[in-house]
Amino acid sequence: MSEVLITRARVIDLRFPTSRESIGSDAVNKDPDYSAAYCVLETNAGFEGHGLTFTLGRGTDLVVGALEFLSTLAVGRTLSSITENFGAFARLLTDENQFRWLGPEKGVIQLAAAALLNALWDLYGRVEKKPVWQLLGDMEPEQILSAIDFRYIDDALPRDWARELLEESRRGYAERLDLLDRDGFPAYTTSAGWFGFSDEKIQRLCREGLADGWTHFKLKVGGNPADDLRRGRLMREAIGPDNFLMVDANQKWGVEEAIARTRELAELKPWWMEEPTSPDDILGHARIRRESGVRIATGEHCHNRIMFKQLFQAGAIDVCQIDSCRVASVNENLAIILMAAKFGVPVCPHAGGVGLCEYVQHLSAFDFLRVGQTMKDRVIEYVGHLHEHFLYPVRIRQGRYLLPHDHGYSIEIFQESLDRFAFPDGQFWKEDREQK
Amino acid sequence: MSEVLITRARVIDLRFPTSRESIGSDAVNKDPDYSAAYCVLETNAGFEGHGLTFTLGRGTDLVVGALEFLSTLAVGRTLSSITENFGAFARLLTDENQFRWLGPEKGVIQLAAAALLNALWDLYGRVEKKPVWQLLGDMEPEQILSAIDFRYIDDALPRDWARELLEESRRGYAERLDLLDRDGFPAYTTSAGWFGFSDEKIQRLCREGLADGWTHFKLKVGGNPADDLRRGRLMREAIGPDNFLMVDANQKWGVEEAIARTRELAELKPWWMEEPTSPDDILGHARIRRESGVRIATGEHCHNRIMFKQLFQAGAIDVCQIDSCRVASVNENLAIILMAAKFGVPVCPHAGGVGLCEYVQHLSAFDFLRVGQTMKDRVIEYVGHLHEHFLYPVRIRQGRYLLPHDHGYSIEIFQESLDRFAFPDGQFWKEDREQK
């Protein structure tokens, strides 16, 4: 493996015109064009590493620019020189002397670090001939820990505690793997409840979802109170009292309003209220949780492990929604998954977008196999679009993710799709401009 | 005023080669090239608005890209259409449907929003023929409040409370203004204690500082413990027991280490310990404050009002270090200054860099005139370089900022400097490449 040299990085600004169908619409994100800053690492050994970070259209060029710079820190290095102290390499990216000022560890530069590190994990899996969940699942505790930057979290996640957990969780590994391989990992669908969908469409999609075996459904709220309640009642009626309904306000409210609105929506018996307020408001989430009595979920906009640490410390959340691109890739998510276990909070990844489903199935499988060791109260988000562009798309059966067995991180997009939706010069966008 | 139409925005990537002299060096930022994304708003009325955001070199191009996009939201509008509901315009920038995903309200896009809004405040001041502090000082309470986006902070800053304070503070305004105009605003110097400076240089600069009337000196720490203590003792010895010494770790430590190191440095009798840990770690700062007994300062990397709100709510800081470019300009700083008053925390702005001194003097003057109404425990940071590039540089006398009287926000840089240090094609950088 030592001879795998990273020789070149290609970076692509990829944009899909999803806003035209209200796909992905919510109370805050009205017209997203699901997009990605996409990176291909070429090597001297016939392997490629593919990685992306998810964006909503405008501004993807900024992430592409950041990714082009950060990727220069990987090109010319051997893969093993990176992976043998992966945490140190991750810090090289997040702590780059001049770039750091633009964060640190947040926003555009953090999204770009995620894309590059995601590509390295993909490459690592391919070289080792394992899917990423298995690459992690097979690792020695110390190897897993060496991928993590413990800076700023050692007050909440003692390294010794983490090592013991990772050691102890070898027991029962084979049984859990059998179970996971047979039944898959529980999921929920967001595809039925987008903000821009009509009442009729929501009802129809719920019926279709039930027929396909779904048991957990998410509804976008944050409109006017009467509309939210009407749509919520429709969904509750359509799925019945025994299935799970989650509501998601996408950061729409201030703290006081969030408390009032969450209390109102409690009649729907939501399994959780997601993103009731600003993703930065740790103490606000804690208060909403205390004063509404509803389980609180957040994380897709939580920009690093330090923020997650505080969500746990403050008792602010019941559900930890990790994201594969918002924080710095697998490395940082390992830290967050371990902290979630330390604080007893279940991890239910955010997905959807472009490739997020493909990514997070690996993280939940690892969590089940080596950290949390249970599927209780765990579900992975599922959104049913854009998967056709992936060589190794997720497979869903009866509302569950089936364990992927292809090597790497499941993220490679067909060259044809990359060519067609590259922005601004891909064929789709060229034709789009000509038609205007 | 209604006829001032913004016709065009010019954006410049400006970089000064400060890293070659260890200027600006600290425990984390080893080799900053003080830089800026700089914006000129042209109008149909002979006025220009100049604004910048401060960066450290690499990555300035990303902020320039974001600024180029955001400035399209101002071009074609009249100034009054923006200023008559300035808070709504600020939210238009921070909440742009697709851009928002890259933050929200943090990192590259937040820095870019700061630059554009700073340019608009400069233009507003010039059109009204007032320095920005006076523009704000003369405003009706409701006009000031309309510049603020109260979303996510109304649980901590009731609008009515703020209105009453701004109404009440008209009393004594003339007396405070006389005092400010006569004596200036207290300042402290960071120029004597950079991380890369030798012991001898620190001592010499302290002696020179004392001779120039300085009474507050800051030392960069975060090196090895013995070095920090040695340098601290040298500085304490040089300035004597009655002057003020502050220490600044620039985010170097985890929480546990920060507590231990702050306790060690307590022998220096520091007036404050600045940035002991990650700027995102609100609860960590609260713990360091409780367990070290030393006054805690932070804010220059605090990315928005929601984070400041929690620093106040958690009792995490004794000193609120607002920054004119990290958050979204005057608009967001008005919210932070008002919250600081609500929670009884003095505002001591971060400055230095490029143009930060020029900016924050306006914010502290406004704080004194209309919000905090006292200079007790307030000092503005001062760093003595790059001022020669400004048309209206700060004026310092006996360790105090003298009140500026030029119209606008004091930020315009000489065209010659813009041309010479534009990156990568300015004359300086061209010659630099040729010499390599």
Side-chain angles (χ1 to χ4, degrees), chain B residues 170-428:
Chain B
R170 293 170 189 260
R171 269 184 303 158
Y173 183 96
E175 292 74 14
R176 286 193 296 281
L177 180 52
D178 283 348
L179 189 71
L180 190 58
D181 214 11
R182 192 191 64 203
D183 296 344
F185 200 98
Y188 71 90
T189 176
T190 303
S191 291
W194 291 112
F195 205 68
F197 284 3
S198 69
D199 291 358
E200 291 66 32
K201 187 163 185 179
I202 290 173
Q203 286 179 301
R204 176 174 57 79
L205 291 171
C206 284
R207 283 193 305 271
E208 291 174 10
L210 290 169
D212 289 341
W214 292 98
T215 53
H216 295 69
F217 295 78
K218 196 161 82 182
L219 180 73
K220 296 291 183 177
V221 296
N224 80 55
D227 283 344
D228 283 357
L229 260 184
R230 190 192 69 251
R231 290 155 45 87
R233 287 169 184 157
L234 279 178
M235 182 174 268
R236 174 52 80 193
E237 197 183 286
I239 68 172
D242 296 332
N243 286 308
F244 294 81
L245 185 162
M246 296 91 95
V247 287
D248 182 357
N250 288 87
Q251 316 169 19
K252 182 72 177 177
W253 304 314
V255 174
E256 307 282 359
E257 192 178 6
I259 293 167
R261 298 292 299 275
T262 304
R263 283 178 178 163
E264 268 173 40
L265 293 168
E267 77 150 75
L268 304 173
K269 303 215 182 310
W271 197 40
W272 73 54
M273 161 56 77
E274 180 171 333
E275 289 203 309
T277 190
S278 163
D280 292 340
D281 201 344
I282 295 153
L283 301 179
H285 280 89
R287 218 188 120 201
I288 296 163
R289 178 168 181 255
R290 267 195 321 272
E291 297 187 23
S292 74
V294 173
R295 296 173 78 239
I296 300 298
T298 196
E300 70 181 73
H301 255 107
C302 185
H303 54 267
N304 60 36
R305 69 200 177 286
I306 305 147
M307 297 298 285
F308 273 107
K309 176 184 77 167
Q310 294 174 87
L311 287 168
F312 297 134
Q313 289 174 323
I317 55 172
D318 298 278
V319 180
C320 171
Q321 298 181 304
I322 57 170
D323 184 286
S324 52
C325 300
R326 178 68 58 188
V327 302
S329 183
V330 175
N331 308 73
E332 192 153 20
N333 272 315
L334 290 173
I336 297 162
I337 289 168
L338 284 163
M339 282 193 289
K342 180 83 165 59
F343 286 84
V345 175
V347 173
C348 298
H350 169 245
V354 180
L356 302 185
C357 299
E358 278 67 21
Y359 274 146
V360 296
Q361 58 182 340
H362 292 267
L363 301 175
S364 280
F366 168 75
D367 182 24
F368 176 63
L369 293 169
R370 292 294 298 272
V371 183
Q373 303 169 60
T374 175
M375 293 185 194
K376 184 176 180 313
D377 293 338
R378 269 82 170 167
V379 281
I380 304 175
E381 184 167 19
Y382 175 73
V383 183
H385 50 253
L386 301 178
H387 301 287
E388 65 275 19
H389 299 289
F390 289 81
L391 269 72
Y392 316 105
V394 292
R395 297 171 303 146
I396 301 288
R397 189 181 66 199
Q398 290 289 309
R400 300 172 82 97
Y401 278 79
L402 299 185
L403 195 63
H405 288 285
D406 304 294
H407 302 164
Y409 207 178
S410 307
I411 207 64
E412 185 171 353
I413 288 183
F414 287 109
Q415 188 61 48
E416 192 187 341
S417 298
L418 294 176
D419 291 343
R420 181 161 170 71
F421 293 101
F423 187 87
D425 295 324
Q427 197 57 31
F428 176 86

Side-chain angles (χ1 to χ4, degrees), chain A residues 152 251 280-281 309-310, chain B residues 152 251 280-281 309-310:
Chain A
Y152 301 141
Q251 315 170 20
D280 292 341
D281 200 346
K309 176 185 78 167
Q310 294 173 87
Chain B
Y152 302 142
Q251 316 169 19
D280 292 340
D281 201 344
K309 176 184 77 167
Q310 294 174 87

Side-chain angles (χ1 to χ4, degrees), chain B residues 97-212:
Chain B
N97 278 358
Q98 299 188 348
F99 242 48
R100 187 181 191 280
W101 188 263
L102 308 174
E105 302 184 71
K106 58 179 67 71
V108 166
I109 60 171
Q110 182 81 335
L111 291 163
L116 177 59
L117 290 166
N118 282 340
L120 284 163
W121 281 98
D122 185 55
L123 178 62
Y124 193 8
R126 291 177 193 228
V127 169
E128 297 285 344
K129 302 192 191 314
K130 295 177 181 178
V132 163
W133 65 261
Q134 189 191 352
L135 182 67
L136 291 166
D138 288 348
M139 277 185 185
E140 295 294 322
E142 203 48 56
Q143 206 180 352
I144 294 171
L145 296 179
S146 74
I148 297 174
D149 184 351
F150 275 85
R151 190 172 49 165
Y152 302 142
I153 56 168
D154 53 3
D155 55 319
L157 183 66
R159 202 175 170 113
D160 288 346
W161 180 89
R163 188 185 300 106
E164 275 169 40
L165 173 64
L166 293 168
E167 191 62 57
E168 180 271 329
S169 63
R170 293 170 189 260
R171 269 184 303 158
Y173 183 96
E175 292 74 14
R176 286 193 296 281
L177 180 52
D178 283 348
L179 189 71
L180 190 58
D181 214 11
R182 192 191 64 203
D183 296 344
F185 200 98
Y188 71 90
T189 176
T190 303
S191 291
W194 291 112
F195 205 68
F197 284 3
S198 69
D199 291 358
E200 291 66 32
K201 187 163 185 179
I202 290 173
Q203 286 179 301
R204 176 174 57 79
L205 291 171
C206 284
R207 283 193 305 271
E208 291 174 10
L210 290 169
D212 289 341

Side-chain angles (χ1 to χ4, degrees), chain A residues 256-289:
Chain A
E256 306 282 0
E257 190 178 6
I259 293 167
R261 297 292 299 275
T262 304
R263 284 178 177 164
E264 268 173 38
L265 292 168
E267 78 150 74
L268 304 174
K269 304 214 183 309
W271 197 38
W272 74 53
M273 161 56 77
E274 181 171 334
E275 290 203 309
T277 190
S278 163
D280 292 341
D281 200 346
I282 295 153
L283 301 178
H285 280 88
R287 219 188 118 200
I288 296 163
R289 178 170 180 254

Side-chain angles (χ1 to χ4, degrees), chain A residues 54-327:
Chain A
F54 171 55
T55 55
L56 294 191
R58 284 184 292 281
T60 306
D61 49 316
L62 305 175
V63 187
V64 162
L67 181 52
E68 279 171 346
F69 169 68
L70 290 178
S71 64
T72 64
L73 303 176
V75 171
R77 293 187 63 150
T78 61
L79 179 61
S80 64
S81 79
I82 289 170
T83 57
E84 70 197 10
N85 193 347
F86 214 155
F89 181 80
R91 191 190 283 195
L92 194 72
L93 303 185
T94 57
D95 223 27
E96 201 282 331
N97 277 359
Q98 298 188 349
F99 242 48
R100 187 181 191 279
W101 188 263
L102 309 175
E105 301 184 69
K106 58 180 66 74
V108 166
I109 60 170
Q110 181 81 335
L111 291 163
L116 177 59
L117 290 166
N118 281 340
L120 284 164
W121 280 98
D122 185 54
L123 178 62
Y124 193 8
R126 291 177 193 229
V127 168
E128 297 285 344
K129 304 194 190 313
K130 293 176 182 179
V132 163
W133 65 261
Q134 189 191 351
L135 181 68
L136 291 166
D138 288 348
M139 277 183 185
E140 294 294 321
E142 204 48 57
Q143 207 179 351
I144 294 171
L145 297 179
S146 75
I148 297 174
D149 185 350
F150 276 84
R151 189 173 48 165
Y152 301 141
I153 55 168
D154 54 2
D155 55 319
L157 183 66
R159 201 177 170 111
D160 289 343
W161 180 90
R163 188 186 301 104
E164 276 170 38
L165 173 63
L166 293 168
E167 193 61 58
E168 181 270 330
S169 63
R170 293 169 188 263
R171 268 184 304 160
Y173 183 94
E175 292 75 14
R176 285 193 296 280
L177 180 52
D178 284 348
L179 189 72
L180 191 57
D181 214 10
R182 192 190 66 204
D183 296 343
F185 200 99
Y188 72 89
T189 176
T190 303
S191 291
W194 291 113
F195 205 68
F197 285 2
S198 69
D199 291 357
E200 291 66 31
K201 188 163 183 178
I202 290 173
Q203 284 178 302
R204 175 173 59 78
L205 291 171
C206 284
R207 284 194 304 273
E208 291 174 11
L210 289 169
D212 289 341
W214 292 98
T215 52
H216 295 68
F217 297 77
K218 195 160 82 182
L219 180 74
K220 297 291 183 177
V221 296
N224 80 55
D227 283 344
D228 282 357
L229 260 184
R230 190 192 71 250
R231 289 155 45 87
R233 286 170 183 157
L234 277 178
M235 181 174 269
R236 175 50 82 193
E237 197 182 287
I239 67 172
D242 295 333
N243 285 309
F244 294 81
L245 185 161
M246 295 91 96
V247 287
D248 182 357
N250 287 87
Q251 315 170 20
K252 183 71 177 178
W253 304 314
V255 175
E256 306 282 0
E257 190 178 6
I259 293 167
R261 297 292 299 275
T262 304
R263 284 178 177 164
E264 268 173 38
L265 292 168
E267 78 150 74
L268 304 174
K269 304 214 183 309
W271 197 38
W272 74 53
M273 161 56 77
E274 181 171 334
E275 290 203 309
T277 190
S278 163
D280 292 341
D281 200 346
I282 295 153
L283 301 178
H285 280 88
R287 219 188 118 200
I288 296 163
R289 178 170 180 254
R290 267 196 321 273
E291 297 188 23
S292 74
V294 173
R295 295 173 78 239
I296 300 298
T298 196
E300 70 181 73
H301 256 107
C302 184
H303 53 268
N304 61 35
R305 68 202 178 287
I306 306 147
M307 297 298 284
F308 273 107
K309 176 185 78 167
Q310 294 173 87
L311 286 169
F312 297 134
Q313 289 174 322
I317 54 172
D318 299 276
V319 180
C320 171
Q321 298 182 303
I322 57 170
D323 184 286
S324 52
C325 300
R326 178 69 58 189
V327 302

Side-chain angles (χ1 to χ4, degrees), chain A residues 11-60:
Chain A
V11 178
I12 298 154
D13 183 334
L14 187 66
R15 306 193 193 186
F16 297 100
T18 48
S19 63
R20 296 165 198 203
E21 300 164 72
S22 288
I23 287 172
S25 61
D26 61 51
V28 168
N29 307 294
K30 302 283 187 196
D31 61 349
D33 280 331
Y34 279 7
S35 303
Y38 190 96
C39 171
V40 184
L41 298 176
E42 299 177 359
T43 69
N44 66 342
F47 296 102
E48 286 184 343
H50 291 244
L52 62 75
T53 199
F54 171 55
T55 55
L56 294 191
R58 284 184 292 281
T60 306

